[in-house]
Amino acid sequence: MALIDEAQIRQQVKDGALARLYVVCGGEGYLKQHYAARLCEAAVEDAFRDFNFHRFEGKDLELDTLSQATEAMPLMGERTCVLVRDYALEAMNGDKDFLAFLKELPDYVVLVFWMDTVDFHPKKYKVLAEAVSQAGHIAQLNPPDEAQTLRILAAGAKKRGCALDRPTAKYFAESVGGDLNLLQNELEKLCAYAGGGNLTRAQIDGVCVKSVDAKSFDMVKAVSMGDGTQALRLLDDLFRQKVAPQMLLGSLIANYVDIYRAFAAMQAGRSAEAPAGLFDYKGKSFRLQKAGDMARRMKLPQLKRCMELLAQADRRLKSTGMDDRLVMEQCVVGLLGVR
């Protein structure tokens, strides 16, 4: 089974050394869309795109129609490209006609199955995965790690006429959140506002919408510093954004769990980032680094009391008739009191 990752498919697109078949699948929607488009751009010259590029929606697409498209000879070009969005590949695992179709793909075609909203699990459907691998590749594109995210953001800024250094890119990702589609949208807005040149933290703060996680982290930081005015102002901002109280509390709890894990690691003589190897922090190890800074200001009894207050707020939101805002304000004031 020939699985390739983001770095490998990026290199193939760059070199123009394309296989006859690609299944673009995985858990990262932006990367799937991006590389499905890049494969098609690399396969067919713009001048002959109207003749040599064919796109289909996978729903109800007949195999005969797909076969005819792949067999069509290129006109004034070396290759044709056929893009199929959300084809029901998993239903074809034991289909002999479909497996034979994959084996007989012409050398001049690049067939791309873009699994946008319908995913494909190659380990679960080994017969089909092996057939795909004989003609091409399965590109499994999952959420990138931190280094990949920063590289994508720097490249996106450069494409828009701006420069984004690594520390600023990291601050941007931490502020906006980990979703690449959201990051790209905010980056486009930021670059349009900046009008070129080096992007700055001040511009990010002035233009970009911070994620709930980023604002709740700022709230926890304000609590740890004893800045009640800032903590309650941030809480007010989140309520004005109509963030659901349960979502807000969940984000606060997640931040304190990070602090607890960082605290436990440092007590054991390890770095604050050590828990990243035990829990799912792919692309988000910076959370533990920040949590470590706050954990150094706390003692275990204080941390336990904070967790008790958060659990109490959770129970009140779920099982009492108290006003949601009052519950959250009492929780934040209680956390300030622990300090």
Side-chain angles (χ1 to χ4, degrees):
M1 188 188 307
L3 290 175
I4 61 174
D5 59 16
E6 190 265 344
Q8 291 166 305
I9 193 172
R10 173 162 41 90
Q11 191 62 48
Q12 289 186 19
V13 168
K14 181 180 178 182
D15 296 341
L18 304 182
R20 291 176 293 159
L21 175 63
Y22 289 88
V23 175
V24 182
C25 60
E28 179 47 64
Y30 169 78
L31 288 180
K32 290 190 293 184
Q33 180 181 21
H34 175 75
Y35 281 106
R38 291 291 306 279
L39 284 167
C40 296
E41 291 168 3
V44 176
E45 298 176 45
D46 284 343
F48 309 118
R49 188 175 180 85
D50 290 343
F51 302 104
N52 296 332
F53 174 67
H54 313 279
R55 172 173 173 152
F56 298 95
E57 289 296 320
K59 185 179 181 182
D60 301 325
L61 177 63
E62 297 289 341
L63 182 57
D64 286 345
T65 304
L66 178 58
S67 180
Q68 289 173 16
T70 59
E71 291 172 3
M73 296 286 290
L75 180 64
M76 295 183 291
E78 295 182 6
R79 290 180 294 214
T80 61
C81 180
V82 179
L83 173 66
V84 184
R85 176 179 175 268
D86 284 342
Y87 193 70
L89 274 182
E90 294 184 346
M92 298 295 179
N93 189 53
D95 190 304
K96 293 181 180 179
D97 292 338
F98 186 74
L99 296 176
F101 159 74
L102 294 182
K103 291 179 182 178
E104 295 167 4
L105 284 173
D107 291 337
Y108 53 76
V109 72
V110 176
L111 172 58
V112 180
F113 288 110
W114 167 27
M115 311 309 288
D116 183 18
T117 62
V118 177
D119 210 356
F120 173 64
H121 304 278
K123 292 182 179 179
K124 188 176 178 181
Y125 297 92
K126 293 184 179 179
V127 173
L128 181 55
E130 289 297 337
V132 170
S133 298
Q134 301 212 358
H137 305 287
I138 300 170
Q140 199 162 39
L141 304 176
N142 292 316
D145 60 22
E146 182 179 304
Q148 290 173 309
T149 299
L150 299 185
R151 178 184 58 74
I152 290 168
L153 292 174
K158 183 177 180 181
K159 182 179 177 181
R160 295 170 175 87
C162 295
L164 186 61
D165 61 41
R166 186 181 178 85
T168 309
K170 188 173 180 180
Y171 179 75
F172 175 71
E174 292 171 6
S175 298
V176 175
D179 181 85
L180 277 179
N181 271 315
L182 180 60
L183 284 168
Q184 289 292 334
N185 291 338
E186 290 297 307
L187 182 63
E188 183 145 4
K189 182 171 68 175
L190 178 63
C191 290
Y193 172 79
N198 295 321
L199 299 176
T200 66
R201 291 192 178 202
Q203 290 169 336
I204 293 168
D205 290 338
V207 175
C208 297
V209 178
K210 283 196 171 185
S211 69
V212 173
D213 283 345
K215 279 199 172 182
S216 67
F217 173 82
D218 289 345
M219 194 189 313
V220 173
K221 183 178 179 181
V223 168
S224 73
M225 300 294 291
D227 190 347
T229 301
Q230 173 70 351
L232 291 170
R233 186 188 66 78
L234 287 165
L235 180 64
D236 183 60
D237 286 347
L238 288 162
F239 269 102
R240 281 193 286 105
Q241 289 178 347
K242 300 189 184 302
V243 177
Q246 292 83 357
M247 182 179 179
L248 172 53
L249 181 61
S251 185
L252 276 177
I253 291 171
N255 275 286
Y256 274 94
V257 168
D258 291 341
I259 295 172
Y260 181 81
R261 287 171 176 170
F263 180 90
M266 291 188 295
Q267 288 293 303
R270 305 285 299 278
S271 70
E273 295 87 352
L278 302 173
F279 302 96
D280 184 16
Y281 282 93
K282 186 174 182 180
K284 298 178 181 179
S285 58
F286 61 84
R287 287 178 48 168
L288 289 169
Q289 182 181 3
K290 287 184 167 185
D293 293 337
M294 287 183 284
R296 292 183 182 92
R297 302 190 194 104
M298 301 184 75
K299 296 180 180 179
L300 185 57
Q302 292 174 306
L303 192 49
K304 285 183 176 180
R305 179 58 183 155
C306 289
M307 300 303 280
E308 288 170 0
L309 288 167
L310 291 164
Q312 183 184 71
D314 185 52
R315 288 192 298 271
R316 286 177 173 174
L317 284 178
K318 292 175 179 176
S319 61
T320 71
M322 288 182 66
D323 179 75
D324 290 343
R325 181 169 187 135
L326 179 60
V327 171
M328 292 304 304
E329 287 177 347
Q330 287 182 347
C331 179
V332 171
V333 171
L335 293 171
L336 284 160
V338 172
R339 183 181 179 279

